[in-house]
């Protein structure tokens, strides 16, 4: 490719509305262009990188025994009504009608379509297991599309689906896919971690996420510093730290005046106790089921709303407003589980609450608190479970010595054991060896192809621009004749460029009439892994090779350039 002809308009200034570095650098290097919020065009350089990620994904999926198909983006509403997701997906689903007024959607994922294909096509255990995948544009009307390709409304996903006769067969495929995902992210040159995850709206039993580690990541992941335990925050567990008074005898509950003391820290200070000896009460309502909940949490812990939704089997929990509180005779800052008329409100307790001896809780009157309240003796909850957000520094739930640490991650891949969720609701059955009808067991496996590309940049950049991992760089080499008016320089640059192209090495020659400094800046911004600079040494047959990632520079004889570059590429 000749730089003079390349459609890549680089920008000096950082675009104002781009918050994260991958978005800024992709815009500045002319790789993508915004059409609407969360909707982007891939320009030539960006599209080359995307296709390289796609190629790695395809090769590894094929290698893992999955077969590529291509399903329609446009899907009839009926299928989604069968599984109940026509309603459950809510406003994230892009909906439309055809000319006859029939409802359709633009696929956010394809469980319904694939299950429909399989239930009609597969009838015998002999055809199972079966794994199929596609690489396709997905549509999700995200509440907050942002960070460029990271959270788009239209984005490229690889989605795979597997069908099995037995749970064991699904377990095997789950492991097979995890191994394939590790190879994919390794080959993409990103630092990643796989973590236990919550199954979310897709449902099912086991689930594991692959996170690219980066400060800007939207997710928090928790991992043990000793054993292999790792989970995302929505799933992570920890050991509840015992209070110092945990051996104390139960004392009688007592109402105290606590004027103007409503915050947990203040009440702990006022009573000279640890915040872990207090209990806070937070009230929620689900906008769909209309059920109301009072949720109790130990004073030093926070409620994790994803865990809470899963425990309660609710989808749209919101905190009660002050007006709702007043309407229910509840007093903000002074709510507690003891001596309260809850009516239809359901009482939920984090498991940590049930273990506190003689805890403090709201008095259910302004400026009062109870002390020495005890779970079991004074009140019981309707539902008890783990709804706590784990924090770094807490004890590992798997090994006795480990301490939990936390890191930020970008979720690039997700593997689920779906079980029978879709096969049951859609009737995907097969006949077993004895001719008996059984329901298939399913798995599904996603990779955000466009998000992975952005995540790679998020992890690999410096003040000058992108530092592409070799395997997904749009081009590997930028040949830069320092002075194109110098016949020796231009001649040698053109010759080396032709040789590199002949060897199928993705190469650009910067033949623009610009100063060398200007060209170097663009080269670093775009992130070519290798710069081949043909300068004054050209007349003696010498060139300079610079490595973007390490900043190393080598003086190399012209006739050795190809083998030198090939070696760098192999090393990665
Ligand atoms: P998130 O929690 O980030 O919204 P998700 O759980 O909704 O992700 P999945 O349904 O598991 O995502 O989709 C599979 C993969 O598709 C994700 O692991 C991610 O890499 C990618 N992905 C999901 N939503 C988007 C999006 N809006 N833009 C780009 N990639 C996405
Ligand atoms: Mg999502």
């Amino acid at each position: 490719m000749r730089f003079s002809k390349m459609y890549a308009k680089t920008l000096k200034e950082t675009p104002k509305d781009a918050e994260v570095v991958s978005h800024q650098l992709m815009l500045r290097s002319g790789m993508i262009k915004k059409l609407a919020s969360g909707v982007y065009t891939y320009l030539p350089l960006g599209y080359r990188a995307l296709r390289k990620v796609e190629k790695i994904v395809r090769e590894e999926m094929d290698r893992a025994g999955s077969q590529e198909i291509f399903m329609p983006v446009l899907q009839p509403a009926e299928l989604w009504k069968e599984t109940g997701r026509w309603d459950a997906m809510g406003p994230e689903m892009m909906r439309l009608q055809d000319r006859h007024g029939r409802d359709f959607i633009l696929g956010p994922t394809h469980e319904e379509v694939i299950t429909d294909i399989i239930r009609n096509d597969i009838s015998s255990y002999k055809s199972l297991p079966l794994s199929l995948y596609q690489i396709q544009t997905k549509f999700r009307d995200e509440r907050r599309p942002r960070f460029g390709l990271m959270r788009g409304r239209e984005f490229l996903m690889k989605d795979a689906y597997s069908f099995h006769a037995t749970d064991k067969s699904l377990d095997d495929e789950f492991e097979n896919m995890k191994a394939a995902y590790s190879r994919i992210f390794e080959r993409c040159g990103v630092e990643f971690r796989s973590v236990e995850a919550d199954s979310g709206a897709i449902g099912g039993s086991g689930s594991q996420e692959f996170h690219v580690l980066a400060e800007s990541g939207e997710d928090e992941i928790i991992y043990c510093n000793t054993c292999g335990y790792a989970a995302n925050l929505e799933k992570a567990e920890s050991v509840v730290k015992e209070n110092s008074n945990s051996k104390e005898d139960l004392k009688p509950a007592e109402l105290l005046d606590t004027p103007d003391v409503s915050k947990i820290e203040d009440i702990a200070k006022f009573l000279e106790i640890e915040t872990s000896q207090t209990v806070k009460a937070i009230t929620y309502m689900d906008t769909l089921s209309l059920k109301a909940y009072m949720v109790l949490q130990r004073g030093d812990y926070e409620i994790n709303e994803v865990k809470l939704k899963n425990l309660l089997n609710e989808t749209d929990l919101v905190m009660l407003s002050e007006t709702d509180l007043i309407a229910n005779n509840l007093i903000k800052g002074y709510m507690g589980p003891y001596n309260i008329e809850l009516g239809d409100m359901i009482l939920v307790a984090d498991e940590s609450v049930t273990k506190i001896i003689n805890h403090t809780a709201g008095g259910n009157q302004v400026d009062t608190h109870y002390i020495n309240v005890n779970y079991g003796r004074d009140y019981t909850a309707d539902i008890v479970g783990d709804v706590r957000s784990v924090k770094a520094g807490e004890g590992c739930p798997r090994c006795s010595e480990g301490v939990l640490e936390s890191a930020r991650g970008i979720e690039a891949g997700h593997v689920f054991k779906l079980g029978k969720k879709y096969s049951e609701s859609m009737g995907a059955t097969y006949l077993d060896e004895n001719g008996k009808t059984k329901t298939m067991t399913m798995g599904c496996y996603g990779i955000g192809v466009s998000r992975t590309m952005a995540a790679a940049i998020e992890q690999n950049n410096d003040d000058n621009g992108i530092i592409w991992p070799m395997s997904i760089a749009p081009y590997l080499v930028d040949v830069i004749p320092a002075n194109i008016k110098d016949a020796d320089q231009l001649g040698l640059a053109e010759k080396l460029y032709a040789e590199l192209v002949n060897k199928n090495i993705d190469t650009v020659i910067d033949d623009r009439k610009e100063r060398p400094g200007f060209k170097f800046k663009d080269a670093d911004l775009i992130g070519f892994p290798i710069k081949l600079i043909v300068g004054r040494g050209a007349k003696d047959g010498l060139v300079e090779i610079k490595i973007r990632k390490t900043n190393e520079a080598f003086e190399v004889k012209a006739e050795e350039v190809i083998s030198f570059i090939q070696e760098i590429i192999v090393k990665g």
Side-chain angles (χ1 to χ4, degrees), residues 262-320:
S262 65
K263 293 212 176 76
I264 288 291
E265 286 71 30
D266 298 340
I267 187 80
K269 213 185 269 169
F270 183 79
L271 297 171
E272 295 181 351
I273 54 172
E274 301 284 312
T275 52
S276 57
Q277 282 165 261
T278 68
V279 165
K280 54 188 165 195
I282 294 160
T283 45
Y284 290 92
M285 189 174 95
D286 189 87
T287 59
L288 299 173
S289 74
L290 301 181
K291 286 187 196 160
Y293 300 92
M294 176 180 279
V295 185
L296 305 176
Q297 183 58 284
R298 203 169 93 164
D300 58 332
Y301 291 141
E302 298 305 323
I303 292 173
N304 184 302
E305 292 186 358
V306 176
K307 283 187 177 177
L308 184 63
K309 277 184 207 163
N310 288 341
L311 179 69
L312 304 179
N313 215 353
E314 296 286 21
T315 47
D316 200 27
L317 287 178
V318 291
M319 275 194 215
L320 288 191

Side-chain angles (χ1 to χ4, degrees), residues 92 140 142 151:
E92 197 164 303
R140 294 184 185 182
E142 297 276 355
R151 185 169 294 285

Side-chain angles (χ1 to χ4, degrees), residues 410-447:
I410 299 164
E411 181 200 318
H414 200 168
V415 291
F416 295 97
K417 286 184 196 171
L418 288 171
K420 299 197 166 73
K421 187 177 159 83
Y422 297 96
S423 46
E424 217 147 57
S425 58
M426 296 185 67
T429 58
Y430 66 97
L431 295 176
D432 72 4
E433 292 93 325
N434 308 315
K436 266 178 79 185
T437 301
K438 296 250 172 81
T439 302
M440 294 180 201
T441 296
M442 290 173 60
C444 77
Y445 318 91
I447 288 185

Side-chain angles (χ1 to χ4, degrees), residues 353-372:
V353 168
T354 65
K355 300 189 184 111
I356 320 175
I357 305 295
N358 299 326
H359 73 70
T360 299
N364 298 315
Q365 302 167 36
V366 179
D367 292 343
T368 63
H369 278 85
Y370 282 108
I371 56 167
N372 303 328

Side-chain angles (χ1 to χ4, degrees), residues 303-464:
I303 292 173
N304 184 302
E305 292 186 358
V306 176
K307 283 187 177 177
L308 184 63
K309 277 184 207 163
N310 288 341
L311 179 69
L312 304 179
N313 215 353
E314 296 286 21
T315 47
D316 200 27
L317 287 178
V318 291
M319 275 194 215
L320 288 191
S321 65
E322 281 194 43
T323 343
D324 292 332
L325 290 180
I326 293 165
N328 284 287
N329 291 324
L330 295 167
I331 297 153
K332 192 175 174 232
Y334 298 95
M335 290 185 286
Y338 183 48
N339 255 344
I340 188 170
E341 258 326 307
L342 280 174
D344 288 338
M345 198 174 256
I346 299 163
L347 189 62
V348 183
D350 183 59
E351 54 194 12
S352 63
V353 168
T354 65
K355 300 189 184 111
I356 320 175
I357 305 295
N358 299 326
H359 73 70
T360 299
N364 298 315
Q365 302 167 36
V366 179
D367 292 343
T368 63
H369 278 85
Y370 282 108
I371 56 167
N372 303 328
V373 180
N374 285 281
Y375 185 87
R377 184 192 68 181
D378 301 323
Y379 68 97
T380 51
D382 302 303
I383 301 171
V384 176
D386 173 6
V387 294
R388 195 166 74 245
S389 265
V390 166
K391 285 197 212 105
E394 295 176 359
C396 174
R398 295 293 145 82
C399 71
S400 47
E401 316 90 83
V403 174
L404 297 176
E405 295 187 13
S406 96
R408 309 284 320 167
I410 299 164
E411 181 200 318
H414 200 168
V415 291
F416 295 97
K417 286 184 196 171
L418 288 171
K420 299 197 166 73
K421 187 177 159 83
Y422 297 96
S423 46
E424 217 147 57
S425 58
M426 296 185 67
T429 58
Y430 66 97
L431 295 176
D432 72 4
E433 292 93 325
N434 308 315
K436 266 178 79 185
T437 301
K438 296 250 172 81
T439 302
M440 294 180 201
T441 296
M442 290 173 60
C444 77
Y445 318 91
I447 288 185
V449 177
S450 42
R451 185 184 280 185
T452 298
M453 169 182 162
I457 299 177
E458 211 54 50
Q459 204 176 61
N460 298 283
N461 66 77
D462 64 12
D463 289 346
N464 299 323

Side-chain angles (χ1 to χ4, degrees), residues 120-136:
N120 290 314
D121 267 5
I122 303 281
S123 54
S124 161
Y125 72 97
K126 289 183 196 143
S127 310
L128 300 175
L130 177 65
S131 171
L132 300 167
Y133 78 96
Q134 65 172 348
I135 298 176
Q136 190 198 48

Side-chain angles (χ1 to χ4, degrees), residues 38 92 108-109 111 138-140 142 144-146 148-159 181 185 198-202 209-210 218-219 234 410-416 444-452:
E92 197 164 303
T109 174
E111 283 79 10
K138 294 283 186 279
F139 294 84
R140 294 184 185 182
E142 297 276 355
R144 283 190 72 195
R146 59 182 183 156
L149 298 188
M150 211 84 87
R151 185 169 294 285
R153 294 199 295 168
E154 176 175 336
F155 59 96
L156 193 64
M157 196 203 284
K158 185 283 298 174
D159 45 328
Y181 274 40
F185 294 116
D198 152 54
S199 314
I202 307 238
E209 284 172 359
F210 287 75
E218 287 185 288
D219 295 301
E234 298 163 355
I410 299 164
E411 181 200 318
H414 200 168
V415 291
F416 295 97
C444 77
Y445 318 91
I447 288 185
V449 177
S450 42
R451 185 184 280 185
T452 298

